[in-house]
Amino acid sequence: MAEVKQAAQALDAALALLAAGEVVAIPTETVYGLAGDATSGQAVARIFEAKGRPRFNPLIAHVASMAMAEKIAVFDPLSARLAENFWPGPLTLVLPLREAFGIHPLVTAGLDTIALRMPRGFASGLIDRLGRPLAAPSANRSGRISATTAAAVAEDLGDRIRLVVDGGPTPVGVESTILKVEKGKLRLLRPGGVTADEIEKAVGMGVERYGDAAIEAPGMMASHYAPGASVRLDVAEVHPGEALLAFGPRRAAGSNDAAAVKNLSERGDLREAAANLFSYLKELDRSGAATIAVEPIPFDGLGEAINDRLRRAAAPRRHDMNRD
Ligand code: TXA
Ligand code: MG
C-alpha cells in the first residue's frame, strides 16, 4: 500500500522517487495528480499503467516557471498574455511543441501540440527542485471520479503506487480549464477552474466553446467521472430511495425521502460547489443508493465546469477508449 505523507515532510521522498522514474501522487490546486518525470518514458508509461488509461490520451505537462515553459512550447503573444494572467493557476494551454526539450512522446501521444500548465503550491516547489516538468493526469483510475483528497487517492490507487503526498483537500476541486490557442483564436477544450468569463475579460476576446472540437481533448468524451450509481440531472423531484446532490437554499420536492443528501453549497456559491463536487459525489455513491439525483445548477461562471462534469457522470456507461 502507498505511504501517505504530509506535504511538509514529503518533498525529499517525492524527489527521490521521481528521479528514479517512479510515479507519485501529489496535490495541486485543482485535483490530485499522478505525477512522473515528463522526459522519462519509463515514468510516463507507469502513469498510464497505474491509471489504466489508454495510451493515445495525452497528458498535461506541469512546469514551475516561464523559462521552463518556453523551452517546451512556442508562446505567441496571446499565449504569453494568458500565461501572465493566469499562471500559476488552473489554466492549461495547448500550444505547439518544441521537440528539442525532450518531452517523451508518450506524454503528447505523438501530437505536435502539448498541454502545459503551471500549478500552485507543493507541485510547483517539487518541479522546481526536480528541474524537469512533471506529466500528471488526475490521480484516479481511468473513468472514475477525480480525487480531491489524499484519502481518495489512496483508496483508488493505493495498491498501485508507493507515495501519496497529502496537501489537504484541493481548493478548486475541478480540473484546470483547457484552452487551445490557435491562429489567434481561443478554443475551450475543457471548462474548468478558470471561467471562460475570466479569460475573455483578461484578453479582451471571445472564447469559442468546445462543441465539435470536444474530440480534440481526447479524454473529454462520453462516460467519465463515473460513480457506481447512475446519475439523474436537473431534478425537480427526488424519487424515494434516491440520494440527493443539492445546491442552494431551496430543496427539490421529495427531498425528505432521499436516502442521503449532500448540499454542494447551501448559499448557492459556485466556487464552494466546485470544491465539494467530487468528494460529495463519492460520498453519495457510498450511501448505496442506486441513483444520485442532482438539483439544477446554474451554468454561469464555474457552473459551466460543474455541469460539464455532472453531464459526464450521468452519461451512459460505455467501455470506450476515451476515458481518463
Ligand atoms: O487540473 C488538471 O488539469 C489536473 C491536474 C492534476 O493538473 N490534470 C488533469 O489531467 O486533469 P488529465 O490527464 O486528467 O486531463 C488532461 C486532458 C485530457 O482530456 C487530454 O485529452 C487533454 O488534457 N490533452 C492533453 N494534451 C492535449 C493536447 N495536446 N491537445 C488536446 N488535449 C490534450
Ligand atoms: Mg482525469
Side-chain angles (χ1 to χ4, degrees):
M1 278 307 279
E3 184 184 1
V4 179
K5 246 187 151 104
Q6 290 301 313
Q9 280 95 51
L11 189 61
D12 289 341
L15 271 172
L17 287 168
L18 292 170
E22 301 277 343
V23 300
V24 178
I26 58 168
T28 82
E29 73 276 50
T30 56
V31 297
Y32 277 74
L34 183 61
D37 178 349
T39 66
S40 157
Q42 176 194 308
V44 180
R46 286 201 167 136
I47 293 173
F48 282 98
E49 225 169 88
K51 276 187 69 95
R53 170 165 167 147
R55 288 189 181 209
F56 55 76
N57 192 0
L59 305 176
I60 296 171
H62 297 67
V63 297
S65 65
M66 264 324 275
M68 190 184 274
E70 280 169 340
K71 283 185 197 149
I72 299 170
V74 181
F75 285 75
D76 65 8
L78 180 56
S79 318
R81 249 169 84 204
L82 286 160
E84 205 171 288
N85 271 280
F86 295 105
W87 284 2
L91 177 69
T92 294
L93 297 173
V94 174
L95 301 170
L97 173 71
R98 287 189 206 276
E99 282 183 9
F101 186 82
I103 293 287
H104 195 276
L106 263 179
V107 173
T108 55
L111 298 172
D112 56 6
T113 55
I114 183 152
L116 266 193
R117 122 172 163 82
M118 189 189 291
R120 293 195 187 114
F122 180 87
S124 168
L126 183 63
I127 297 160
D128 192 46
R129 282 280 302 278
L130 186 69
R132 289 197 289 276
L134 288 178
S138 50
N140 54 280
R141 288 194 197 195
S142 189
R144 295 210 188 154
I145 295 169
S146 298
T148 55
T149 63
V153 179
E155 189 184 308
D156 213 20
L157 294 172
D159 57 345
R160 302 179 174 195
I161 62 178
R162 286 173 55 190
L163 177 64
V164 180
V165 178
D166 188 351
T170 56
V172 176
V174 291
E175 298 86 345
S176 61
T177 301
I178 304 181
L179 197 62
K180 188 165 188 180
V181 186
E182 200 176 33
K183 298 188 193 111
K185 285 190 171 175
L186 301 180
R187 310 246 304 278
L188 186 66
L189 302 188
R190 175 175 78 182
V194 171
T195 68
D197 216 40
E198 288 168 328
I199 295 167
E200 289 178 348
K201 279 205 186 100
V203 294
M205 64 184 286
V207 168
E208 290 175 23
R209 292 310 200 265
Y210 30 100
D212 292 342
I215 196 137
E216 283 182 47
M220 291 308 295
M221 296 178 69
S223 165
H224 197 107
Y225 305 101
S230 63
V231 175
R232 203 161 68 81
L233 300 179
D234 292 325
V235 304
E237 194 177 340
V238 188
H239 302 159
E242 285 182 335
L244 176 63
L245 187 63
F247 177 81
R250 285 208 315 272
R251 290 293 59 73
S255 65
N256 289 339
D257 294 325
V261 181
K262 292 297 288 181
N263 195 333
L264 288 170
S265 172
E266 216 51 74
R267 58 198 160 99
D269 179 84
L270 289 165
R271 205 159 280 281
E272 181 180 30
N276 289 328
L277 178 65
F278 292 141
S279 60
Y280 284 8
L281 269 176
K282 281 185 196 222
E283 209 171 305
L284 292 178
D285 204 17
R286 275 198 296 269
S287 76
T291 303
I292 301 171
V294 184
E295 291 181 356
I297 293 166
F299 273 82
D300 48 299
L302 278 177
E304 185 171 6
I306 296 170
N307 278 292
D308 171 83
R309 304 306 188 269
L310 285 169
R311 196 164 42 76
R312 289 173 208 289
R317 308 294 150 74
R318 299 204 338 241
H319 292 281
D320 65 37
M321 299 300 287
N322 284 303
R323 301 171 148 216
D324 81 329

